[in-house]
Amino acid sequence: MTANWWRTAVIYQIYPKSFADASGDGIGDIAGIRTRLAYLADLGVDAIWVSPWYRSPDRDGGYDVEDFRQIDPRFGDVAEVEALIRDAHTLGLRVIADIVPNHVSDQHPWFRAALATAPGSAEWSLFHAVAGRGVGRAEPPNDWLSVFGGSAWDPILDAAGQPTGFWYLHLFDATQPDLNWEHPAVRAEFEDILRFWFDRGLDGFRIDVATSLIKAPGYPDEHRAAGVEAGLSLEVVEGQPQWNRPGVHDIWRAWRRVADQYNPPRVFVGEVWADSPAGLAAYLRPDELHTVFNFDYMMCPWDADRLRAVVDASLSTAGLVGAPATWVLESHDKPRVRSRFALDAAGMDINDRSGPGDDALGVLRGRAATLFMLGLPGSAYLYQGQELGLREVWELAAGVRQDPAFARTHGADGLRDGCRVPIPWTDEEPGCGFGPAGMSWLPMPSDWGAMSVARQERSAAGVLALVRRALRLRRSEAALRSAAMTWVAHEDPAVLVLRRAGIGAGDIVVAMNLGAAPARVEGSEVLAASTAGIRTADGGVLLPPNTAVWLRG
Ligand code: NOJ
């Protein structure tokens, strides 16, 4: 693969706690990932992105990092990760890790050192320690909210447990204090962390909350719209004091210089929620990040006009700066695609999360959506278990839920555990082959084994077979690696048809029927279809509702 592998790559996201458990403690680990690399190579993905694997108290699924140069002992150690990278490279897979620069764990040595001093100290200057407002400075410095609910500020207490009148900033959980990126020591430390991992062969990083590192001087109020109860709604508004400040781009330019010193150059994908297409494109300039996550695509409902508009906007925004678009339907933060569309189909809000909605329709739409996504130009993400068509586990009891936002919002939000239930590798009870001891850190529902890898290996009709086929075609068909696509007009506005231009073997037509009536689509041969039984007749297919197909054009 070339140095430009990231432009067309399919990247498989691993949530290490839930992927494969080799040690038998009910928690996934690096050794478990190693045992499944052959499965991933056979699936046909180009790279893996592993969510945080660092030493962490795990108050936010590892996004609360205590030591960026140590692996969480429950997952393994640095030598094991080096072996993982070596094994992956041998199989032709790249390895991307998560890096979390906005905040650290409250157990990080820097924060512990700060707590042992008074605000105003050199130790506190690495964080945002700000005087409160009101009598006795007893109120937070401003109106900013934590993304996980409640104020973004917590009081700094003295050794006797009394308020100091100063507050520290945490845009996420109170156990995740924000770092002060105006401080040169913070910048130097992270560039050193990048080198630490790049020197060990890591191919790149997914950058957690890549938009929030610089805060507006003076910490002004953001004057939020009434009714907003958590700090990052889907509507990121221009000029907000804590997101998308111009100064953040200097950081990414400096990181890019580090990445470009390696051969092959290392790559970055940013978690970016921007306020405008131009704002998003700014992160993708040639001297900044290589790609960014496409949240608009992920959150698009089952609606042909809106989906088409999101595809067009994504391509034109990335195209402004010569970057590839990316596509994503699932992650460790959002309900499974099948279940989102099941809600949608039942007329429920896509963010409703009370589930299950119309699961039968969700199954069809989830399969179709995954096939359609893999037919778009650029780079695509698959979240572990998406290739099995797993559903959201809505029914997890409050007592087993671990998402910190669940507690901070008194159960109103923070339902991210339902997409983090461990992977069913077999249908053997208990534990579905996740680990040798049958244990799993989140309980598996009774239908889990039926969706397992082992079961689907025995069936040509499963989602696994569909994804495998699509990924094989992405490799064998030059048309699917081309950078461009064109829409093909269709008389039914609920049917999306696009053409990928090929050289030699010809064009490939990708189509999805989001409407209620079957629709004819022209093409000479069915290469892949999201449901069985779609055949060509008279130079085309009759595409049923809730179905996607790839045809030779
Ligand atoms: C985004 C990550 O995807 C999410 O899981 C995490 O909770 C927040 N950033 C905070 O790090």
Side-chain angles (χ1 to χ4, degrees):
M1 231 190 267
T2 67
N4 280 338
W5 64 272
W6 48 275
R7 289 189 162 267
T8 53
V10 174
I11 301 175
Y12 184 97
Q13 183 191 352
I14 291 178
Y15 192 72
K17 216 171 155 182
S18 304
F19 186 63
D21 168 24
S23 70
D25 61 357
I27 295 172
D29 43 43
I30 307 295
I33 300 175
R34 287 181 70 195
T35 65
R36 301 295 179 180
L37 284 177
Y39 163 79
L40 296 174
D42 183 54
L43 181 61
V45 299
D46 302 297
I48 56 173
W49 147 34
V50 188
S51 280
W53 51 25
Y54 312 105
R55 181 184 280 275
S56 158
D58 194 17
R59 300 294 295 269
D60 181 23
Y63 285 90
D64 47 326
V65 179
E66 189 179 327
D67 186 339
F68 285 96
R69 295 181 189 79
Q70 291 291 327
I71 298 300
D72 193 300
R74 294 170 313 161
F75 294 160
D77 57 22
V78 172
E80 188 86 51
V81 165
E82 288 174 323
L84 169 74
I85 295 172
R86 270 198 310 275
D87 290 357
H89 286 172
T90 304
L91 290 166
L93 297 167
R94 313 269 171 162
V95 184
I96 291 176
D98 227 301
I99 193 160
V100 191
N102 179 70
H103 44 264
V104 291
S105 159
D106 61 357
Q107 299 305 308
H108 189 284
W110 282 2
F111 195 71
R112 291 164 71 110
L115 285 176
T117 67
S121 66
E123 286 81 357
W124 271 114
S125 69
L126 300 171
F127 298 92
H128 298 271
V130 180
R133 293 199 287 212
V135 179
R137 296 172 170 174
E139 291 163 29
N142 64 28
D143 67 353
W144 298 359
L145 291 179
S146 156
V147 171
F148 292 161
S151 172
W153 300 89
D154 259 45
I156 299 173
L157 307 177
D158 66 17
Q162 293 305 309
T164 58
F166 284 78
W167 299 66
Y168 72 91
L169 177 66
H170 56 85
L171 291 181
F172 294 88
D173 192 54
T175 62
Q176 293 167 296
D178 280 42
L179 288 166
N180 173 15
W181 275 84
E182 307 289 354
H183 200 301
V186 173
R187 295 186 187 225
E189 169 70 354
F190 272 85
E191 288 179 27
D192 196 64
I193 293 165
L194 296 180
R195 289 195 187 92
F196 178 89
W197 288 106
F198 290 161
D199 289 345
R200 283 164 177 75
L202 194 76
D203 297 289
F205 278 109
R206 175 266 191 187
I207 305 172
D208 190 65
V209 258
T211 50
S212 57
L213 276 53
I214 300 295
K215 279 77 178 179
Y219 307 98
D221 279 335
E222 67 165 322
H223 304 294
R224 260 183 334 274
V228 176
E229 281 160 8
L232 182 63
S233 71
L234 291 181
E235 304 288 312
V236 179
V237 183
E238 200 173 341
Q240 274 175 304
Q242 67 283 61
W243 311 104
N244 297 301
R245 308 299 305 171
V248 78
H249 296 287
D250 291 339
I251 300 168
W252 306 139
R253 279 190 277 269
W255 282 32
R256 183 64 179 256
R257 285 194 290 275
V258 175
D260 283 347
Q261 281 157 13
Y262 285 81
N263 183 18
R266 308 314 200 224
V267 303
F268 296 118
V269 51
E271 189 200 14
V272 174
W273 300 81
D275 46 26
S276 66
L280 190 73
Y283 288 89
L284 289 168
R285 287 174 287 195
D287 59 348
E288 296 197 32
L289 309 181
H290 299 73
T291 54
V292 292
F293 247 66
N294 191 341
F295 290 107
D296 290 340
Y297 189 79
M298 189 182 211
M299 298 317 291
C300 186
W302 187 257
D303 178 299
D305 286 344
R306 288 178 66 178
L307 188 58
R308 184 187 171 115
V310 169
V311 170
D312 282 340
S314 308
L315 291 170
S316 63
T317 299
L320 287 174
V321 282
T326 67
W327 314 104
V328 59
L329 289 165
E330 291 194 2
S331 79
H332 64 297
D333 286 335
K334 291 280 178 268
R336 296 277 186 182
V337 61
R338 155 181 168 182
S339 302
R340 281 191 285 116
F341 286 140
L343 289 182
D344 208 22
M348 296 159 81
D349 187 271
I350 210 159
N351 287 312
D352 180 319
R353 300 184 173 206
S354 52
D358 185 340
D359 187 51
L361 217 43
V363 167
L364 290 177
R365 292 181 177 180
R367 293 175 62 118
T370 294
L371 183 63
F372 183 79
M373 174 188 82
L374 292 171
L376 294 170
S379 166
Y381 287 82
L382 288 171
Y383 173 56
Q384 62 180 40
Q386 185 177 350
E387 83 279 18
L388 304 175
L390 294 187
R391 67 174 176 89
E392 183 73 7
V393 186
W394 302 108
E395 65 270 30
L396 286 175
V400 302
R401 289 192 178 270
Q402 301 199 9
D403 182 349
F406 187 76
R408 286 186 72 86
T409 60
H410 311 289
D413 197 353
L415 304 178
R416 295 180 299 170
D417 299 295
C419 64
R420 299 176 180 179
V421 173
I423 295 295
W425 292 97
T426 69
D427 51 9
E428 286 155 36
E429 302 288 351
C432 296
F434 172 59
M439 282 161 53
S440 124
W441 69 278
L442 279 174
M444 292 176 171
S446 56
D447 58 349
W448 228 225
M451 294 181 278
S452 64
V453 173
R455 274 283 188 102
Q456 295 200 35
E457 295 279 11
R458 300 196 289 269
S459 148
V463 186
L464 182 59
L466 174 67
V467 171
R468 259 194 199 138
R469 170 129 192 90
L471 297 184
R472 276 188 182 41
L473 287 163
R474 273 180 80 106
R475 294 211 170 166
S476 62
E477 299 287 334
L480 292 167
R481 291 192 304 277
S482 64
M485 55 157 265
T486 47
W487 291 110
V488 178
H490 196 281
E491 59 188 11
D492 183 345
V495 178
L496 295 182
V497 184
L498 62 95
R499 180 175 288 271
R500 306 287 306 278
I503 319 154
D507 293 2
I508 288 181
V509 170
V510 174
M512 181 156 70
N513 186 350
L514 295 94
R520 190 177 154 83
V521 179
E522 308 296 321
S524 63
E525 180 194 346
V526 177
L527 296 173
S530 67
T531 51
I534 299 180
R535 310 244 182 281
T536 43
D538 305 325
V541 296
L542 199 60
L543 192 60
N546 307 302
T547 309
V549 71
W550 292 2
L551 302 170
R552 206 169 285 290

